[in-house]
């Protein structure tokens, strides 16, 4: 017999209050295909958020569902205590793609866990619990990753196992350096980094940074900033962790990894990834050179990280991504989408900025004539877009006033045009 209590009420009765839901009337997604999803009432939506940048290639991609089904028919679980062919094969692919010499991969089940592992490696290798992080950043919901998250809205406690120093530079159009030209901005951020290091007691373990901040509202520094930071870090022996959970796998279009826009001196010491590689399956991971990865001197395993089923999905998804040049599609269609978003936003007083790269775009909303974030406007636009058949995300500092747009990388030109038109219509509803 069907439970007569509405699903939203059942959600509230058994799940935490802080487990956020979108929309005044939350929707239940029941199935998807390509770039579209359907809710329990039969409404069809163009998906411009991909389950928080996770549905990277397409919903119900036949190649991935086939790989999952076939692997599940053989064996679903074994743990890392046994040799695992799909895990080894995916690790070989990721090592080669990472650019990190003599690389090793440890698979996890999420980006939070990947960043947590990266912190464990860096602090152990450097014998220091001091971490550099960027203001406005987000790195996960675990106790350690919350403690390096520079976004107040996503950091519920000040207690921490780490000593974190926050530096400027990740947000180009806000803060004390916003009025400077790109080279001046980078020089000022480097000077700030040097100043912060002067306040640290002893050695710092690592800098962790998202090449493009995800939850922070798709903000980014000028190209080359983290490369300039790297020169300072290298002088002090400090490791660089690039959090590629949202920017990796070609989403930015121009590069396969976000760090590649910043460093001419080689890859980061540690790279973390998750989300898109599994296309909805729970995959995260850490890549580091062997010297860093092998610095732990105690036993460790993973019960669920690198499971045969998720690894099979990752292999099929990565193969599809590369064989169909979805990075190139992100560059071409993403460029068109950004152009259209700027066009439909023109003349809307609430739009402060349209920014992004590839299929990773943000539309920042403020109170007209000011720089004050307007989260109510962002929520209203999300609602208006949903009623017109488009799903968006939101983020941006602690005020969540940025529309986050990140559709699957197989997005077509027609779908980009359709989505931009709906966003234009939704923006006009708040004027």
């Amino acid at each position: 017999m069907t439970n007569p209590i509405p699903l939203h009420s059942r959600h509230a009765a058994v799940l935490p209050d802080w487990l956020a839901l979108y929309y005044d009337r939350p929707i239940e997604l029941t199935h998807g295909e390509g770039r579209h999803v359907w809710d329990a009432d039969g409404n069809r939506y163009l998906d411009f958020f991909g389950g928080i940048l996770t549905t990277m290639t397409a919903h119900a991609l036949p190649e991935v569902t086939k790989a999952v089904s076939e692997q599940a028919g053989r064996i679903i679980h074994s743990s890392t205590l046994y040799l695992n062919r799909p895990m080894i094969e995916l690790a070989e692919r990721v090592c080669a793609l990472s650019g990190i010499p003599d690389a090793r991969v440890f698979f996890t089940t999420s980006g939070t866990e990947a960043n947590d592992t990266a912190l464990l490696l860096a602090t152990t290798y450097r014998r220091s619990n001091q971490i550099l992080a960027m203001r406005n950043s987000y790195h996960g919901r675990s106790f350690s990753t919350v403690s390096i998250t520079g976004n107040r809205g996503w950091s519920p406690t000040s207690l921490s196992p780490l000593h974190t120093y926050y530096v400027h530079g990740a947000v180009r159009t806000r803060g004390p350096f916003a009025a400077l030209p790109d080279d001046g901005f980078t020089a000022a951020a480097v000077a700030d980094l040097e100043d912060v290091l002067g306040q640290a007691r002893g050695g710092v373990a690592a800098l962790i940074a998202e090449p493009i901040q995800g939850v922070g509202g798709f903000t980014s520094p000028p190209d080359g900033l983290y490369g300039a930071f790297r020169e300072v870090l290298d002088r002090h022996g400090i490791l660089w962790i690039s959090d590629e959970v949202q920017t990796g796998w070609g989403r930015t279009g121009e590069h396969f990894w976000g760090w590649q826009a910043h460093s001419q001196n080689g890859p980061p010491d540690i790279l973390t990834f998750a989300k898109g590689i599994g296309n909805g399956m729970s995959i995260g991971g850490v890549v580091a050179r062997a010297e860093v990865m092998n610095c732990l001197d105690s036993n460790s395993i993973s019960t669920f990280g690198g499971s045969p089923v998720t690894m099979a999905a990752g292999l099929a998804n990565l193969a599809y991504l590369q064989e169909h040049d979805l990075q190139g599609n992100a560059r071409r269609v993403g460029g068109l989408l950004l152009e259209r978003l700027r066009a439909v936003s023109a003349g809307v007083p609430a739009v402060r900025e349209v920014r992004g790269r590839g299929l990773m775009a943000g539309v920042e909303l403020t109170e007209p004539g000011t720089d004050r974030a307007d989260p109510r406007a962002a929520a209203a636009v999300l609602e208006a877009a949903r009623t017109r058949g488009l799903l968006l995300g939101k983020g941006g500092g602690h005020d969540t006033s940025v529309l986050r747009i990140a559709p699957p990388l197989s997005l077509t030109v027609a779908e980009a045009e359709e989505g931009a038109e709906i966003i234009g219509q939704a923006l006009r509803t708040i004027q």
Side-chain angles (χ1 to χ4, degrees):
M1 180 177 177
T2 303
N3 193 321
I5 301 173
L7 196 60
H8 187 194
S9 298
R10 293 165 61 190
H11 177 283
V14 295
L15 296 170
D17 289 346
W18 42 260
L19 197 61
L21 288 167
Y22 275 171
Y23 308 116
D24 291 337
R25 295 178 58 196
I27 59 176
E28 176 194 1
L29 299 182
T30 58
H31 61 286
E33 182 179 348
R35 275 71 53 196
H36 292 87
V37 292
W38 284 258
D39 69 16
D41 295 323
N43 298 307
R44 177 177 179 263
Y45 303 95
L46 180 58
D47 185 4
F48 264 32
F49 201 37
I52 318 178
L53 291 85
T54 299
T55 305
M56 178 172 69
T57 48
H59 289 281
L61 186 70
E63 288 82 351
V64 172
T65 55
K66 181 174 183 287
V68 168
S69 177
E70 290 180 350
Q71 180 59 54
R74 291 190 292 269
I75 186 169
I76 291 176
H77 178 70
S78 65
S79 90
T80 57
L81 290 171
Y82 304 93
L83 288 173
N84 179 337
R85 188 176 299 273
M87 180 171 69
I88 294 167
E89 291 177 352
L90 185 56
E92 289 169 340
R93 297 282 299 276
V94 172
C95 282
L97 289 167
S98 73
I100 295 175
D102 194 23
R104 301 291 188 274
V105 179
F106 177 74
F107 287 106
T108 66
T109 59
S110 70
T112 290
E113 190 187 349
N115 285 332
D116 195 82
T117 303
L119 295 169
L120 173 64
L121 292 173
T123 54
T124 302
Y125 183 79
R126 289 280 293 156
R127 296 188 174 276
S128 168
N129 75 331
Q130 298 184 96
I131 297 292
L132 297 165
M134 306 305 295
R135 298 186 180 192
N136 197 53
S137 58
Y138 175 81
H139 297 288
R141 58 174 176 75
S142 68
F143 190 46
S144 69
T145 55
V146 161
S147 71
I148 57 162
T149 286
N151 185 320
R152 188 178 74 195
W154 294 87
S155 186
T157 177
S158 61
L159 301 177
S160 172
L162 302 169
H163 190 114
T164 305
Y165 301 92
Y166 293 101
V167 296
H168 284 291
V171 183
R172 178 65 184 89
T173 61
R174 286 187 179 272
F177 310 144
L180 298 172
D182 283 355
D183 56 350
F185 182 99
T186 297
V190 168
D192 176 65
L193 172 62
E194 295 268 24
D195 182 67
V196 169
L197 288 174
Q199 311 302 314
R201 296 176 62 85
V204 170
L207 164 76
I208 185 167
E210 306 157 89
I212 299 176
Q213 292 184 330
V215 169
F218 293 172
T219 60
S220 61
D223 285 358
L225 180 133
Y226 293 119
F229 276 14
R230 180 69 177 276
E231 295 178 10
V232 177
L233 300 177
D234 285 349
R235 290 202 305 271
H236 294 271
I238 299 169
L239 302 178
W240 172 26
I241 303 169
S242 185
D243 178 344
E244 302 275 354
V245 169
Q246 297 197 31
T247 54
W249 316 109
R251 177 163 288 281
T252 68
E254 296 175 19
H255 303 285
F256 196 76
W257 304 109
W259 68 260
Q260 291 171 310
H262 292 277
S263 180
Q264 292 74 45
N265 300 320
D269 299 289
I270 303 174
L271 180 153
T272 62
F273 62 86
K275 291 193 182 291
I277 182 61
N279 205 45
M281 300 296 285
S282 298
I283 305 177
V286 185
V287 191
R289 64 180 189 272
E291 177 187 12
V292 175
M293 184 66 80
N294 295 333
C295 73
L296 305 182
D297 62 1
S298 61
N299 293 325
S300 190
I301 63 166
S302 182
T303 303
F304 294 109
S307 81
V309 172
T310 61
M311 296 295 96
L315 280 165
N317 197 43
L318 182 57
Y320 186 91
L321 174 90
Q322 293 184 297
E323 290 167 6
H324 292 80
D325 188 25
L326 295 193
Q327 178 184 337
N329 193 64
R331 182 179 64 254
R332 294 184 296 272
V333 180
L336 170 71
L337 178 59
L338 278 165
E339 182 181 296
R340 295 293 188 268
L341 289 173
R342 292 189 173 106
V344 301
S345 300
V348 179
V351 176
R352 178 179 181 269
E353 183 182 22
V354 176
R355 56 178 176 256
R357 182 169 288 183
L359 285 173
M360 194 173 187
V363 179
E364 183 177 355
L365 303 178
T366 55
E367 296 175 15
T370 77
D371 274 346
R372 292 191 297 272
D374 194 344
R376 288 181 298 179
V381 173
L382 246 67
E383 293 283 357
R386 182 193 62 80
T387 63
R388 291 164 171 79
L390 179 71
L391 302 185
L392 302 172
K394 59 180 178 177
H398 63 275
D399 291 312
T400 58
S401 62
V402 180
L403 307 176
R404 295 171 67 199
I405 300 161
L409 303 189
S410 57
L411 187 74
T412 67
V413 169
E415 290 163 345
E417 298 271 13
E418 178 189 354
E421 178 60 28
I422 293 174
I423 291 170
Q425 294 170 3
L427 287 170
R428 288 192 287 275
T429 68
I430 64 170
Q431 292 195 77

